Amino acid sequence: MKSLDESRYGNITLSVNGRIYNVSVRDNETLLDVLRDKLRLTGTKKGCDLGVCGACTVLVDGEPMNSCLLLASMMQGREITTIEGIAEDGRLHPVQRAFVREGAIQCGFCTPGMIVSAKALIDRNPDPSDEEIKDALSGNLCRCTGYTGIIRAVKNWKKYVKAEGAGKNTGVQDDVKRYETVGRSVPRVDAVNKVTGKAMYTADYHFQNMLHGRILGSTVPHGKIKRIDTSKAEALPGVVCVITGKDVPDVKYGVSPARYDEHVLAKDTVRYIGDEVAAVAAVDEETADRALGLIDVAYEELPAVFTPKEAIKEGAVRIHEGKRFRNNINTSVDHHFGDVERGFEEADYIREETFVGNHTYQNPMEPHAAIAYWDQHDRLNLYTATQVPHYVHYMLAHVFKIPLGRIKVIRPTVGGGFGGKAETTPLDLCAAILSRITGRPVKMVYTRKDMFHHGRGRHKQHMKFRLGVKKDGTITAFDSTIHLDGGAYTSFGVVTAYYAGSMIPTLYHIPNYRYRGYRVYTNKPACGAFRGHGVPQPRFAFECLLNMVADEIGIDPIAIRMKNAMDRNTRTCNDLDIRSCEFKATLEEVRKKSGWKKKYGKLPSGKGIGIGAGGFVSGAGYAIYRGEVRMSHEKTPKTFVKKAVFPHGNAMVKVLEDGMAVVLFIGAAEIGQGAETVLSQMCAEALGIPLERVYIRAEDTDISPVDLGAYSSRVTLMGGNAVVMASRAVVKKLLPIAAETLQCKPSELIAKDGKILREGDPGKNLDWAEAARIYFNEKGPLVGTGFYKPPAGLGGDYKGAAVGTSPAYSFGSSVCELSVDLETGKISLERFTDYHDCGTPINPMAVHGQVEGAIVMGVGETVMEDVVYDERGGIVNPNLHEYLLMTIKDTPEIFSGIVDSYEPEGPFGAKEIGEGSTLPVLGAVAHAIANATGVWIRELPITPEKILKALKEKERMRRGGIQEKPRGLWQEGKPSPPYKRKPARGKKAVDPKKLFGKK
Amino acid sequence: MHIPDIRLHEPRTIAEACELLNRYCDISKVLAGGTDLLVDLKQGRITGIEHLVSLRNIDGLESVEETGEAIRVGALVTLNQASGNETIRKFFPAMIDTIGSMAAYTIRNVATVVGNIAGAVPSSDLAPFFVVAGGEAELSNGESQRRMKVEDYILGPRETACGEYEILTHLLIPKPPPRTGISYQKFMLREANALAVAGVAARLTLAGSIGGGGGAGGGRDVGGVGGTGGTGGDGGTGDKRGTGGDRSTRGTGDGEGGIMDSCIAMTAVAPRPVIAREACAFLEGKEPSKEVFREAAAIARESARPITDIRGTKEYRFDLIEVLTERTLEEALSRARGE
Ligand SMILES: Cc1cc2nc3c(=O)[nH]c(=O)nc-3n(C[C@H](O)[C@H](O)[C@H](O)COP(=O)(O)OP(=O)(O)OC[C@H]3O[C@@H](n4cnc5c(N)ncnc54)[C@H](O)[C@@H]3O)c2cc1C
Ligand code: FES
Ligand code: FES
């Protein structure tokens, strides 16, 4: 056991939230660790541990400070206030109420720090200006809200000094009045827990006798493990267990069943710097950390490749064995719909451009965490920060070869995901194994650096696009070739490679369309699914190209979109069925609202305005694994059939015996996006009772029926439909009871406002709860169940046709206004105007929150975010100091609007907003920059340096009298034959060698 | 990610602190706000440190004093305290701007002004300000004090003239002579929590202040920080030369006043703050104008010694220096004119 060196400890006495504590601490402990681990005040969060994110902000003698950079032993005699101490006598502080009401909260991970900073601000300055608010909160990063709601909340805090009761929201757009509860901007159901620090995230849990685990990553980008010596680590006092590749199941796992290619810990080969090699469990995290440093690994280094270009070369080192991965190509797609050659012949103008994306990382504010223990029934209990409890559940069963029934997955409050938490992590698996071996609970939490190494961020895409249009702007053909930099493992990559092509034709009518995609393995962390999955970069490139073409042929960029815009009830060229579609309305609205006509082409140099559009699926049409729910990996996978074998969303509604409360059980993952709130709203609406009586339980796979998770923007539509069905089943049981009392036919009755009433004769009614009580007395538990399966037959019959299918599609347009300092290239964002077609907004405030967050994230991706690698594939900036996220001071003014729309397949007419909201942003920013400067930057991120370089190049050419080569090509005198649509057919992938030969 | 196993010491006097630093020599460090040091320790960027000597309990380091000719900032004064200080606001709006561009509010509540200089990080924002303002570092070894110009104090990345068991107790900034303006321009990649890609500070003193300009050499005793009074043993300051005192100046003699004296210093473009001496020499005696500033900026560019790193390439930094120099001179000029 750990040798006890008492002299390392000292006692301090400090006051925390008015209570005096005497704590024994070591000199190297931070105040943050002492608050969280010793005083168990877990409301204060750890997001970076390096002073940049502000999640750890507390008041020290009234002043806000980052507790991760304060030594606990220096806190002797100081007065500390944490988020738990902001509310007084159980009454929320006005700032907390303002956060609840003004839509300042999503995942809530930044919220405690934000509120502490905001409270200190209004204590010293009760009437802060916008500038002062931004300065005071400048050290608090938020990845979800786009800061807009937060600024609004702090500005309006005084409104919430009194009036604690319910009330209408302020500051947010008017409710949509189609329904009672649906369409109202009600505060989030989890808001109070999030503003008080009571919300429990995975890392906030503590279990008796718990161990702490850490994982060792490879230090070489590619190599064979020759030898691992763990003896020194094992000998370190406090270390309980060390495992390596030999201790983990010989089962590969991953996301796409066709490409499971990861081991829990490397068996013999490591493929990137950070690839998991060993794991340690120890009495505390610090000891586990120290033990990692004592594990001696000898590698035989192999050559490594870091870009698709290098990796695809003949003779390049192979990252994975197997014939199918020739030239390191992990997935290849060749889709051809219509006839592009013919389409280009028909075009009057053709332009070809090359674009390059960036490696962006989701960076949810909450780091991944997992706690595992095996209970008395020998069942694995796993607490994990995930967007996909079901897939984690399924993958644990697969790796450990046990039935789903022997595993229980608990998803505590999750601090954001954006796709970064959409798969099973090494933490989940290692914690389960370490716990199995040691017989103790094991907690494992990633550091921010670990998160970057675990990866699963956006694929960097190298895109070659060719677009043909008629003189009037009508698109005749589009041809694209994309190389996706995949990193060392598949993760979601197969799907990503398909998505990169499949979503382009949803926005515009493209009669002839070709997409060739190659996802290539490289010796870097695996890339995965990041908000907008595979689509934002091609969408950015397409929107840029469309704008270039519009400018070149002299058509207004909005007009060219109008010309080609998707219409409702259309089957796209790649066999996707669009039902509701108000894309044109979004274009029209942003045009009006932004004053486009007065501005486009009329702004002075250095000022720019730009447009981008985008849209996304409302849930993938098919599950990631296609068969039925299976017990374990042993059963052979079923062949793919064009229908959902099992329901993707499932819900259960149970009414309490007195009829005064309803519990909604659904496995949908709340990750900050507001799933629990909108599902509760839909439940209340369908039941005809006030929202206050609905309680949701979604955190435990034992309790709630399966839902596939929070990915592909599926929860509102799919989970919502299941909830509506379950709720209606309950109402159906109540109506006959009420009909008996009211002496009428059940068919004449409806449930509304907490009553069962006769339509048109509301005087005649029975209290809803009373009806429920009668039901219970007579028939026992009042329960309804519901499920949702996407419609059968979605999509075409070609290979990969499943990706991109969805019951419904969203649409949106964004206009960006900014200025560029032409001497330094610095961009100053001014305004964003955004309109979306998300069907019926279930909660407009939540919709705007998604849009505001997506805009700020999207701008960041366009102008500053990038994971930078050194020449050995090591990440140069795996921290929030150097991987730049937009701060509150960088945030533009945002207007978010919703156009009137109704999706027949969605619950109450709803569809998605979460991912679609990101898609228009990148193109709009790039266009505005080009509009301000006269230069197009085709490589993300568009940094000031790149802008300045392009400006200088342009100036150099102007001085030298060099004409810029016309990039587009006019084709004169071609007759345009009438277009005949060929049946959509996917073609077989080309031989990669041929592809390489062409380059 | 943890701070290594260190022992914290909180001495009550400078002598005790120096004694501790002496005892633990290579394995100890001074701890002020810790926003720089603790981040480095957590990331393992500095190793082998076993003792931290906190200045927190030492009296006399927590205030900003106005002492006749100078402002004296103690080693415990945080960035936010400095920027809220009336005296500093009155004399050095440029310092307020500089601090406003640094880190973020919560960090500024902890980070010290002195720590920003003592840390000698090549991208320090305050270093160029102190250099152009003629700032001096006051060092103590517990027994005696010495003083040196900030530009001489910072030797290289994380390297200073601070002796192994010396402490930088105060920074002194001489009150600016009349018709003097100081400005700092920082270029960063986002609006908060961002280090400088490049930064330029400038001071301009216009002639025509005292007796219609000309021969103002004696009057602009920028370095004349005598009479600080706070600590003993600083009687020798009277002998010190003011910054720029080593250069001869030509007053322009006319009423508006040409540039009598100037200093330009840059950050994040060399291992330590660089003074653009050639540009300063060029400016002396000139009538300020856009063209003159542009030319000075082009000369200043040559003084930079930037490298390429994650924030920007060497070439870009050269370009930035030129633009920032011109802008900072413009602003310094309008401040000197009292605009
Ligand atoms: C999120 C974040 C953002 C930041 N942004 C900026 C920025 O924009 N611009 C910028 O310039 N810096 C920035 N910094 C760096 C840092 O905050 C500042 O340099 C700060 O002023 C350092 O002061 P401190 O009191 O925290 O120093 P400490 O960390 O306590 O000390 C810094 C170094 O100086 C030494 N030292 C401190 N005081 C003395 C003394 N009196 N005598 C001798 N040696 C001493 C220490 O031993 C240590 O080596 C940032 C840091 C963080 C964490
Ligand atoms: S955890 Fe302290 S600032 Fe991020
Ligand atoms: S709500 Fe701010 S980080 Fe999620």
Side-chain angles (χ1 to χ4, degrees):
Chain A
M1 242 9 295
K2 194 167 200 163
S3 59
L4 188 60
D5 174 5
E6 278 177 59
S7 66
R8 291 167 77 226
Y9 288 84
N11 264 359
I12 54 161
T13 305
L14 76 172
S15 147
V16 182
N17 302 330
R19 173 176 166 191
I20 309 297
Y21 291 86
N22 185 284
V23 218
S24 149
V25 298
R26 275 180 296 121
D27 283 349
N28 63 339
E29 285 182 274
T30 61
L31 174 60
L32 175 61
D33 287 340
V34 168
L35 288 172
R36 288 181 55 83
D37 300 339
K38 296 204 165 141
L39 308 187
R40 300 245 189 278
L41 291 167
T42 52
T44 306
K45 304 298 178 203
K46 188 189 279 189
C48 69
D49 216 10
L50 288 177
V52 206
C53 76
C56 65
T57 309
V58 298
L59 301 181
V60 179
D61 299 330
E63 284 294 335
M65 296 178 188
N66 304 66
S67 61
C68 68
L69 292 186
L70 295 173
L71 294 181
S73 41
M74 289 171 78
M75 292 297 123
Q76 168 65 35
R78 317 278 297 256
E79 244 176 67
I80 315 291
T81 308
T82 68
I83 186 66
E84 290 91 344
I86 301 287
E88 278 173 21
D89 309 327
R91 274 178 56 99
L92 296 186
H93 186 277
V95 165
Q96 289 173 311
R97 282 208 288 278
F99 267 63
V100 170
R101 297 248 175 246
E102 300 272 354
I105 312 158
Q106 287 183 27
C107 79
F109 200 78
C110 70
T111 310
M114 287 281 181
I115 288 181
V116 167
S117 283
K119 149 104 175 33
L121 168 68
I122 60 164
D123 282 351
R124 61 181 187 267
N125 176 6
D127 290 299
S129 65
D130 276 17
E131 289 320 301
E132 287 163 335
I133 292 171
K134 288 183 179 184
D135 190 54
L137 303 184
S138 57
N140 296 86
L141 292 174
C142 174
R143 192 59 159 161
C144 304
T145 64
Y147 306 102
T148 312
I150 293 169
I151 297 170
R152 200 162 53 218
V154 181
K155 221 175 144 74
N156 294 336
W157 76 274
K158 280 189 172 165
K159 281 193 200 162
Y160 301 93
V161 171
K162 274 194 255 140
E164 199 159 359
K168 226 179 112 53
N169 295 286
T170 48
V172 286
Q173 208 181 306
D174 267 347
D175 300 344
V176 174
K177 294 192 184 64
R178 228 174 255 153
Y179 306 99
E180 300 295 317
T181 306
V182 159
R184 273 179 52 210
S185 291
V186 298
R188 302 174 59 95
V189 296
D190 53 5
V192 172
N193 265 359
K194 286 179 173 174
V195 295
T196 50
K198 286 181 191 150
M200 294 284 280
Y201 298 76
T202 303
D204 299 340
Y205 283 84
H206 174 85
F207 293 96
Q208 288 294 327
N209 208 23
M210 185 169 80
L211 297 172
H212 298 259
R214 299 276 296 135
I215 296 177
L216 180 72
S218 162
T219 51
V220 302
H222 196 191
K224 295 265 177 227
I225 298 173
K226 288 281 103 182
R227 178 174 40 78
I228 306 186
D229 181 358
T230 58
S231 56
K232 275 196 218 119
E234 277 157 19
L236 184 72
V239 170
V240 179
C241 179
V242 183
I243 55 171
T244 66
K246 65 177 182 354
D247 305 307
V248 304
D250 199 3
V251 176
K252 285 183 180 168
Y253 76 100
V255 177
S256 294
R259 304 271 196 293
Y260 287 165
D261 56 3
E262 297 185 62
H263 276 116
V264 179
L265 296 171
K267 284 282 175 194
D268 54 2
T269 309
V270 289
R271 298 183 172 89
Y272 70 93
I273 291 182
D275 208 351
E276 296 82 9
V277 169
V280 175
V283 292
D284 57 33
E285 204 180 49
E286 196 186 330
T287 307
D289 239 350
R290 206 162 288 167
L292 294 187
L294 298 174
I295 298 174
D296 189 15
V297 190
Y299 299 98
E300 177 193 319
E301 260 200 85
L302 296 169
V305 283
F306 303 114
T307 62
K309 206 172 164 182
E310 286 172 60
I312 210 169
K313 252 190 205 135
E314 206 56 57
V317 65
R318 293 273 285 278
I319 298 175
H320 284 270
E321 304 290 317
K323 259 203 198 134
R324 67 200 299 196
F325 300 134
R326 249 189 318 174
N327 297 70
N328 288 314
I329 294 183
N330 163 270
T331 303
S332 64
V333 186
D334 187 351
H335 282 168
H336 192 180
F337 309 105
D339 180 345
V340 281
E341 261 163 55
R342 174 94 159 273
F344 283 118
E345 273 170 31
E346 287 167 23
D348 295 318
Y349 177 80
I350 295 170
R351 182 146 171 169
E352 187 173 301
E353 291 284 349
T354 305
F355 298 89
V356 184
N358 43 349
H359 277 296
T360 55
Y361 178 59
Q362 290 91 345
N363 266 317
M365 279 300 121
E366 180 209 20
H368 304 66
I371 307 174
Y373 66 86
W374 295 75
D375 66 19
Q376 55 177 345
H377 309 295
D378 204 20
R379 285 180 94 210
L380 170 60
N381 287 238
L382 182 81
Y383 288 67
T384 180
T386 187
Q387 306 177 223
V388 287
H390 171 67
Y391 287 109
V392 172
H393 198 180
Y394 181 79
M395 203 44 64
L396 292 168
H398 167 77
V399 173
F400 299 138
K401 301 190 184 181
I402 55 177
L404 290 174
R406 271 191 60 206
I407 304 164
K408 160 169 155 170
V409 176
I410 296 110
R411 173 201 53 80
T413 311
V414 175
F418 313 106
K421 293 176 183 160
E423 53 200 280
T424 312
T425 65
L427 295 183
D428 299 332
L429 295 160
C430 288
I433 295 169
L434 288 167
S435 164
R436 180 96 195 147
I437 297 173
T438 60
R440 295 165 70 170
V442 175
K443 175 178 188 169
M444 301 183 79
V445 185
Y446 273 155
T447 61
R448 186 60 52 177
K449 186 173 169 185
D450 294 338
M451 292 169 73
F452 276 91
H453 282 116
H454 169 60
R456 324 287 149 157
R458 211 182 279 309
H459 287 72
K460 176 173 182 157
Q461 303 191 26
H462 303 257
M463 300 164 281
K464 199 165 142 193
F465 283 10
R466 193 169 147 90
L467 180 66
V469 297
K470 309 283 280 175
K471 283 197 185 76
D472 67 357
T474 308
I475 295 172
T476 63
F478 178 65
D479 190 358
S480 59
T481 306
I482 301 181
H483 287 80
L484 299 96
D485 189 341
Y489 296 98
T490 302
S491 174
F492 272 91
V494 179
V495 187
T496 319
Y498 281 101
Y499 260 130
S502 70
M503 295 309 288
I504 296 294
T506 62
L507 227 54
Y508 306 108
H509 294 282
I510 305 177
N512 303 294
Y513 179 80
R514 182 154 196 191
Y515 164 62
R516 274 166 287 194
Y518 307 92
R519 182 184 190 268
V520 186
Y521 280 129
T522 53
N523 291 109
K524 295 190 291 197
C527 294
F530 181 174
R531 197 178 201 171
H533 197 176
V535 192
Q537 293 181 6
R539 176 54 67 199
F540 146 80
F542 187 92
E543 296 295 300
C544 286
L545 182 54
L546 191 61
N547 286 328
M548 292 171 182
V549 168
D551 280 350
E552 188 83 9
I553 66 176
I555 297 183
D556 178 84
I558 294 186
I560 202 170
R561 286 177 170 75
M562 280 290 194
K563 180 111 217 150
N564 295 288
M566 187 51 60
D567 296 292
R568 61 183 91 99
N569 300 324
T570 308
R571 170 161 285 208
T572 66
C573 66
N574 54 342
D575 288 347
L576 303 177
D577 288 316
I578 310 281
R579 289 185 184 82
S580 65
C581 171
E582 299 302 330
F583 179 34
K584 286 179 182 162
T586 68
L587 285 165
E588 189 50 38
E589 292 297 332
V590 294
R591 193 180 61 76
K592 276 196 289 198
K593 181 82 187 172
S594 66
W596 179 266
K597 258 195 179 149
K598 276 185 291 184
K599 294 175 183 163
Y600 190 71
K602 302 183 178 88
L603 299 174
S605 175
K607 280 212 169 285
I609 184 167
I611 174 119
F616 206 60
V617 298
S618 304
Y622 299 93
I624 293 171
Y625 60 91
R626 271 102 174 238
E628 64 205 278
V629 174
R630 275 176 274 135
M631 258 173 51
S632 77
H633 69 296
E634 284 156 331
K635 230 168 163 183
T636 44
K638 287 256 165 84
T639 44
F640 178 57
V641 284
K642 259 176 77 172
K643 64 175 196 200
V645 180
F646 62 95
H648 293 192
N650 299 279
M652 208 161 78
V653 170
K654 174 186 149 190
V655 183
L656 274 269
E657 297 77 55
D658 67 354
M660 291 303 288
V662 161
V663 186
L664 166 61
F665 299 90
I666 179 166
E670 168 67 64
I671 56 170
Q673 83 282 41
E676 294 191 352
T677 306
V678 295
L679 294 172
S680 300
Q681 280 181 270
M682 289 190 270
C683 184
E685 183 74 44
L687 288 171
I689 59 171
L691 177 61
E692 294 72 39
R693 292 197 201 161
V694 176
Y695 302 92
I696 185 165
R697 295 293 303 275
E699 74 283 0
D700 186 332
T701 54
D702 265 7
I703 293 176
S704 301
V706 57
D707 178 274
L708 291 186
Y711 69 97
S712 76
S713 294
R714 51 175 299 289
V715 173
T716 301
L717 189 142
M718 299 200 181
N721 276 327
V723 167
V724 170
M725 183 176 166
S727 307
R728 292 204 174 130
V730 166
V731 172
K732 208 172 158 198
K733 289 181 180 174
L734 284 181
L735 295 186
I737 302 266
E740 223 169 280
T741 315
L742 300 173
Q743 302 191 330
C744 61
K745 278 190 255 157
S747 60
E748 291 172 294
L749 296 174
I750 55 164
K752 197 177 167 182
D753 290 340
K755 297 191 176 67
I756 311 282
L757 45 84
R758 214 155 115 184
E759 244 177 325
D761 181 12
K764 198 166 182 186
N765 68 58
L766 178 67
D767 187 50
W768 200 99
E770 178 60 24
R773 280 193 291 272
I774 299 172
Y775 184 96
F776 185 79
N777 289 339
E778 292 179 4
K779 306 193 172 177
L782 176 51
V783 179
T785 63
F787 65 90
Y788 178 77
K789 280 185 182 189
L794 287 182
D797 292 320
Y798 55 92
K799 181 175 174 236
V803 182
T805 58
S806 177
Y809 297 84
S810 70
F811 300 89
S813 306
S814 252
V815 167
C816 168
E817 292 169 78
L818 48 70
S819 58
V820 179
D821 180 336
L822 298 175
E823 287 182 321
T824 61
K826 190 182 180 111
I827 300 153
S828 304
L829 286 161
E830 285 163 7
R831 206 166 301 104
F832 251 91
T833 311
D834 184 282
Y835 269 92
H836 256 83
D837 163 11
C838 60
T840 302
I842 303 295
N843 183 327
M845 179 166 81
V847 170
H848 299 310
Q850 287 296 307
V851 171
E852 289 155 359
I855 286 175
V856 170
M857 181 185 270
V859 172
E861 284 200 53
T862 319
V863 305
M864 59 175 78
E865 295 188 27
D866 201 10
V867 178
V868 178
Y869 294 90
D870 62 24
E871 66 286 349
R872 274 176 58 80
I875 302 177
V876 179
N877 53 347
N879 56 61
L880 297 176
H881 280 274
E882 289 160 309
Y883 183 93
L884 302 172
L885 302 181
M886 299 265 285
T887 72
I888 197 167
K889 283 187 170 181
D890 298 284
T891 298
E893 185 189 319
I894 296 171
F895 174 86
S896 156
I898 303 168
V899 298
D900 194 26
S901 169
Y902 190 92
E903 169 56 49
E905 183 68 20
F908 304 104
K911 44 188 184 178
E912 78 91 35
I913 187 68
E915 296 183 80
S917 46
T918 286
L919 289 156
V921 182
L922 289 77
V925 177
H927 187 208
I929 292 170
N931 187 245
T933 59
V935 292
W936 277 101
I937 309 297
R938 297 167 177 80
E939 192 175 336
L940 296 172
I942 306 176
T943 57
E945 174 157 7
K946 286 182 193 161
I947 295 174
L948 193 70
K949 201 169 158 203
L951 282 169
K952 286 178 110 182
E953 175 63 16
K954 193 176 150 201
E955 178 61 16
R956 198 181 58 80
M957 285 171 61
R958 193 187 62 81
R959 287 229 182 99
I962 308 166
Q963 287 271 315
E964 208 186 330
K965 263 198 299 188
R967 287 177 170 262
L969 178 74
W970 282 99
Q971 307 195 120
E972 298 291 349
K974 286 252 169 72
S976 14
Y979 165 67
K980 223 172 81 211
R981 191 169 185 275
K982 279 195 179 178
R985 279 282 166 268
K987 291 200 176 153
K988 264 194 72 131
V990 290
D991 181 354
K993 248 190 248 156
K994 248 197 254 161
L995 157 90
F996 177 64
K998 265 188 216 158
K999 283 211 104 181
Chain B
M1 193 164 40
H2 291 92
I3 298 167
D5 212 354
I6 42 97
R7 210 55 71 89
L8 176 74
H9 305 269
E10 299 190 281
R12 300 204 153 263
T13 63
I14 292 176
E16 270 173 53
C18 294
E19 153 71 28
L20 284 162
L21 291 171
N22 193 3
R23 190 183 318 156
Y24 299 119
C25 216
D26 286 348
I27 54 168
S28 66
K29 278 247 172 212
V30 174
L31 177 70
T35 59
D36 189 15
L37 184 55
L38 297 183
V39 168
D40 278 356
L41 286 171
K42 280 190 180 187
Q43 292 192 303
R45 270 206 299 239
I46 44 177
T47 50
I49 299 300
E50 293 173 23
H51 298 269
L52 296 184
V53 180
S54 163
L55 305 178
R56 183 171 78 109
N57 288 343
I58 300 175
D59 281 338
L61 300 180
E62 66 292 323
S63 56
V64 177
E65 304 157 50
E66 189 179 346
T67 60
E69 293 307 307
I71 312 295
R72 191 160 174 264
V73 182
L76 288 172
V77 174
T78 66
L79 296 175
N80 277 348
Q81 283 164 355
S83 77
N85 181 277
E86 282 313 316
T87 315
I88 294 179
R89 293 191 91 84
K90 182 167 138 209
F91 290 105
F92 300 107
M95 183 164 165
I96 307 295
D97 293 350
T98 307
I99 292 173
S101 77
M102 291 171 71
Y105 189 85
T106 45
I107 294 286
R108 300 201 299 264
N109 259 341
V110 180
T112 61
V113 171
V114 169
N116 193 249
I117 301 301
V121 175
S123 61
S124 157
D125 285 309
L126 281 168
F129 165 79
F130 276 101
V131 169
V132 302
E136 290 189 319
E138 199 176 293
L139 305 175
S140 169
N141 62 5
E143 283 164 12
S144 61
Q145 278 81 29
R146 60 185 183 126
R147 231 176 235 187
M148 63 177 72
K149 286 195 248 167
V150 167
E151 64 204 73
D152 297 328
Y153 173 79
I154 302 175
L155 301 177
R158 301 184 180 280
E159 211 184 304
T160 67
C162 212
E164 250 161 26
Y165 38 91
E166 257 181 334
I167 287 168
L168 172 46
T169 59
H170 296 85
L171 284 164
L172 295 146
I173 334 169
K175 284 184 192 167
R179 290 176 66 72
T180 294
I182 303 179
S183 157
Y184 176 65
Q185 295 276 332
K186 172 179 183 179
F187 188 85
M188 48 187 174
L189 297 172
R190 63 176 171 191
E191 296 303 307
N193 266 345
L195 297 182
V197 183
V200 182
R203 174 179 53 78
L204 288 179
T205 300
L206 301 177
S209 47
I210 303 149
R220 47 176 188 83
D221 186 10
V222 183
V225 287
T228 45
T231 52
D234 57 358
T237 38
D239 302 334
K240 294 211 165 224
R241 283 173 302 151
T243 48
D246 49 339
R247 273 176 256 138
S248 66
T249 47
R250 290 169 285 122
T252 52
D254 65 10
E256 144 61 21
I259 298 164
M260 193 171 71
D261 187 37
S262 70
C263 186
I264 300 170
M266 328 174 188
T267 194
V269 291
R272 50 184 294 259
V274 195
I275 300 180
R277 294 193 193 277
E278 289 74 15
C280 299
F282 167 81
L283 282 173
E284 273 181 32
K286 296 257 176 8
E287 278 300 323
S289 72
K290 252 199 149 20
E291 291 66 42
V292 166
F293 285 167
R294 187 161 303 157
E295 217 170 311
I299 300 172
R301 175 191 180 105
E302 302 305 317
S303 305
R305 293 286 170 269
I307 54 160
T308 294
D309 66 12
I310 188 165
R311 288 193 287 281
T313 62
K314 181 174 157 179
E315 294 73 28
Y316 185 49
R317 286 194 155 104
F318 273 122
D319 290 344
L320 286 176
I321 284 299
E322 196 168 337
V323 176
L324 296 177
T325 303
E326 196 181 325
R327 290 181 184 177
T328 192
L329 286 170
E330 297 278 0
E331 191 179 50
L333 176 68
S334 56
R335 281 193 173 142
R337 284 173 169 162
E339 287 165 6

